[in-house]
Amino acid sequence: MPDARIGVVGATGAVGSVTLALLAERGYANVRAFASARSAGGSVKLGARELPVEEATPTVLAAGGLDLALFSVGTSASRELVPHAVRGGAVAVDKSAAYRLEPGVPLVVPEVNGERAHEHEGIVANPNCCTIPLTCVLKPLHDAAGLRRLRVSTYQSVSGAGARRMEALLAEPQSEHDLTMDWSWDGDETDEESKLRSETRKIMELPELPISATTVRVPVLVGHAEAVWAEFEDALSPGQAAELLAAAPSVRVVDVPSPKQAARTDQVLVGRIRPDRAGENGLALFLACDNLMKGAALNAIQIAELLLGGTPGFPESPLLYA
Amino acid sequence: MPDARIGVVGATGAVGSVTLALLAERGYANVRAFASARSAGGSVKLGARELPVEEATPTVLAAGGLDLALFSVGTSASRELVPHAVRGGAVAVDKSAAYRLEPGVPLVVPEVNGERAHEHEGIVANPNCCTIPLTCVLKPLHDAAGLRRLRVSTYQSVSGAGARRMEALLAEPQSEHDLTMDWSWDGDETDEESKLRSETRKIMELPELPISATTVRVPVLVGHAEAVWAEFEDALSPGQAAELLAAAPSVRVVDVPSPKQAARTDQVLVGRIRPDRAGENGLALFLACDNLMKGAALNAIQIAELLLGGTPGFPESPLLYA
């Protein structure tokens, strides 16, 4: 497996850097780095090695030589480039929103619906950074009690908006920090809110699941958190839920999860599990996850490992990015 | 009214400073400042004037000479000192949690249940900084459609935890900022969550209202926000709700409220009003409010003005604290 030929497209971005660190840590050596014309020509680190950054053009990607292409670029760049990588013979694992809801494109969280990855026709999509930890937590609860309704409010770190927003936060005086809802709009919702609904429905295979989300960016550098109210068909006590979650892959039950506690770990932290005092058969809980790791780069590599025929590594790995 | 004799107890704290600024701006000149032994002896500003800071002792407060005593101290200090101020002939407006749920103590948001203020027996309690803006927004909606259930997640600034926490945030590297739930625990909830439930029930006079809250501290200096899901007896469209809220005192309807936008204003900003896609007859909305102003000092002064027989000032006032 570590001899698979892997291309990392968007290698100089926030998620691309974490992807390279994770690949190096897992022993992948046959890696090429691609980026836009602006960033091409420089180099990036693959562990101790320097990799040249090639320009990601349709021609180069269609020329072949890659088994897997991991895309961490914007939606429009993915729309332009992914088909060329597929034409060149690679399976593309795309982290953008470009293909997530397309029929024939599996949208995969390995712990939740890993078996779907093999149904691809060249592209596997990696879900939104809030959807991944949410479905990791909901899956075992749904299997036990049947998910009926979902309300989620998010506390999303600025790294979800890319490396430049991280720099902007670091340069801003603390007294200026604010909450924002700076996504595109999809009617009366942010497109992050509608993504969270449509992606959760697709991954959980619950196409009618009622979901209401409020997505908020907070002045935290790395790590997304979510306050969740979930209603079930059957009664599910907080104790039963904690037991199911403690046994779930990639989930760790803690008292009070926080982004800083989750940052640089492989796992989704979940806690504050209690009855929803505003509804029947409901639970309230709080989760936190490193949005660059399990929320993005790590999930995509776990998809890649499914496709390469191995077992994706779910246990916590040592820490990777600076 | 501006010749009322007003004592500000806890005058050197985050809320006490805003209280003095608001009193000066409203023309109150007959003001005395009190603080703990640690802070007594210095001086504070009342507009351009310097006020000596007296030590807040039972003896001094019981000695009389105050019409109103505005308390911005911790719960245990309030329990110790408030009865002495009342014994000395003052009406105490207490911002701590000490008396909020006591029978015979009105818990007042002037826009919501101002008439209750006059039923006091010496003490009027000022609600929690999240409860005040929440009830300002819920009241007109409840009057129109009948509130049935409530779910709230909060985004609370560090100034809610006092001046020292503000200094700590300013001194902390941005990369260390985290979300916290650093309240005391009341069973499986933070005491902030159980306060939000019991105080909202008392103010709205809905003693059985089902409420589930998740309270979270975010690394923002001033301004609390809340993501709210409210279910009603009757259908209420987002347009109808926006119209009701636009006509409500101390509420301003905006597209996307944020703490920074709310900071240093008198009003509760509300927006993102949309159907709750996870329930029937429900609305989702987002609000923001200056937790030191309407969330604390301003609400207490508006209570004081009700008690003094005037009309509390609800229109937006010029800006007050630095």
Side-chain angles (χ1 to χ4, degrees), chain B residues 8-309:
Chain B
V8 175
V9 188
T12 58
V15 175
S17 311
V18 177
T19 302
L20 287 166
L22 285 165
L23 288 171
E25 198 262 336
R26 286 160 118 89
Y28 294 92
N30 210 338
V31 176
R32 288 166 66 190
F34 301 89
S36 65
R38 208 185 49 238
S39 304
S43 69
V44 289
K45 290 252 178 219
L46 181 75
R49 276 171 57 205
E50 296 279 337
L51 289 189
V53 180
E54 306 175 50
E55 186 177 345
T57 64
T59 314
V60 165
L61 293 170
L66 295 174
D67 299 310
L68 277 162
L70 306 179
F71 281 82
S72 312
V73 297
T75 297
S76 62
S78 274
R79 278 198 209 288
E80 188 202 337
L81 296 172
V82 163
H84 295 285
V86 174
R87 195 153 55 88
V91 178
V93 180
D94 184 43
K95 298 195 197 77
S96 83
Y99 300 98
R100 288 179 189 153
L101 302 180
E102 274 198 17
V105 175
L107 180 64
V108 176
V109 180
E111 297 84 342
V112 179
N113 66 341
E115 69 287 358
R116 293 291 179 203
H118 301 289
E119 298 169 5
H120 72 83
E121 298 163 8
I123 307 173
V124 180
N126 191 75
N128 175 280
C129 47
C130 284
T131 309
I132 293 170
L134 182 64
T135 54
C136 283
V137 163
L138 292 177
K139 172 67 171 165
L141 307 182
H142 170 64
D143 287 348
L147 191 57
R148 200 159 57 181
R149 288 170 202 278
L150 192 61
R151 292 176 183 88
V152 181
S153 67
T154 70
Y155 301 72
Q156 299 181 229
S157 65
V158 295
S159 57
R164 259 172 291 177
R165 277 289 294 277
M166 296 171 76
E167 286 158 25
L169 183 78
L170 291 170
E172 183 182 76
Q174 266 97 336
S175 57
E176 295 298 305
H177 288 355
D178 199 9
L179 308 178
T180 58
M181 293 179 167
D182 49 4
W183 290 275
S184 302
W185 293 93
D186 181 6
D188 61 3
E189 296 187 303
T190 66
D191 70 347
E192 193 83 351
E193 289 160 0
S194 58
K195 275 180 207 169
L196 201 137
R197 177 188 306 108
S198 48
E199 295 181 19
T200 299
R201 286 174 168 176
K202 178 167 177 174
I203 296 164
M204 303 285 291
E205 302 182 9
L206 294 168
E208 306 292 332
L209 184 69
I211 303 180
S212 176
T214 300
T215 58
V216 182
R217 185 88 62 200
V218 298
V220 167
L221 209 59
V222 174
H224 286 8
E226 304 178 35
V228 179
W229 284 270
E231 187 184 312
F232 299 93
E233 298 292 342
D234 304 322
L236 186 65
S237 75
Q240 290 170 319
E243 221 167 279
L244 292 164
L245 289 166
S250 299
V251 174
R252 189 160 86 233
V253 179
V254 300
D255 287 341
V256 181
S258 87
K260 200 165 144 187
Q261 202 185 347
R264 307 176 187 195
T265 79
D266 288 359
Q267 293 183 303
V268 181
L269 307 185
V270 60
R272 302 294 327 276
I273 307 167
R274 58 203 194 280
D276 172 7
R277 287 172 174 75
E280 291 78 45
N281 285 358
L283 290 176
L285 55 85
F286 197 71
L287 66 85
C289 169
D290 186 323
N291 55 297
L292 303 177
M293 294 271 286
K294 184 60 187 164
L298 176 62
N299 194 73
I301 289 175
Q302 290 168 335
I303 292 172
E305 292 181 339
L306 273 178
L307 296 172
L308 292 168

Side-chain angles (χ1 to χ4, degrees), chain A residues 120-314:
Chain A
H120 73 83
E121 298 162 8
I123 307 174
V124 180
N126 191 75
N128 175 280
C129 47
C130 283
T131 310
I132 293 170
L134 182 64
T135 54
C136 283
V137 163
L138 291 177
K139 173 66 170 166
L141 307 182
H142 170 64
D143 287 348
L147 192 57
R148 198 159 58 181
R149 291 169 200 278
L150 192 60
R151 292 176 182 88
V152 181
S153 67
T154 70
Y155 301 73
Q156 299 180 230
S157 66
V158 296
S159 57
R164 258 172 291 178
R165 278 289 294 279
M166 295 170 77
E167 286 158 24
L169 182 78
L170 291 171
E172 183 180 76
Q174 265 98 336
S175 56
E176 295 298 304
H177 288 355
D178 200 9
L179 307 179
T180 58
M181 292 179 169
D182 50 3
W183 290 275
S184 303
W185 293 93
D186 182 4
D188 61 4
E189 295 187 303
T190 67
D191 70 348
E192 193 83 351
E193 288 159 0
S194 57
K195 275 181 208 169
L196 201 136
R197 178 187 307 107
S198 48
E199 296 181 19
T200 300
R201 286 174 170 177
K202 179 167 176 173
I203 296 164
M204 303 283 293
E205 301 182 10
L206 294 168
E208 307 291 332
L209 183 69
I211 304 181
S212 176
T214 298
T215 58
V216 181
R217 185 88 61 202
V218 297
V220 165
L221 209 59
V222 175
H224 286 8
E226 305 177 35
V228 179
W229 285 271
E231 187 184 312
F232 299 93
E233 298 292 341
D234 304 321
L236 186 65
S237 74
Q240 289 170 320
E243 220 167 280
L244 291 164
L245 289 166
S250 297
V251 174
R252 189 161 84 234
V253 179
V254 300
D255 288 340
V256 181
S258 88
K260 200 165 144 187
Q261 201 184 348
R264 307 177 186 194
T265 79
D266 288 0
Q267 294 184 303
V268 181
L269 307 186
V270 61
R272 301 292 329 273
I273 307 166
R274 58 202 194 280
D276 172 8
R277 288 173 173 75
E280 290 79 45
N281 285 359
L283 291 175
L285 54 85
F286 197 71
L287 65 85
C289 169
D290 186 321
N291 54 297
L292 302 176
M293 295 270 286
K294 184 60 188 165
L298 176 62
N299 194 72
I301 289 176
Q302 289 168 335
I303 293 172
E305 293 181 338
L306 273 178
L307 297 171
L308 292 168
T311 308
F314 292 145

Side-chain angles (χ1 to χ4, degrees), chain A residues 77-116:
Chain A
S78 275
R79 276 197 210 290
E80 188 202 338
L81 296 172
V82 162
H84 296 285
V86 174
R87 194 152 56 87
V91 177
V93 180
D94 184 43
K95 298 194 196 78
S96 84
Y99 300 99
R100 288 179 189 153
L101 302 180
E102 273 197 21
V105 175
L107 181 63
V108 176
V109 179
E111 297 84 342
V112 178
N113 66 341
E115 68 288 357
R116 293 290 179 204

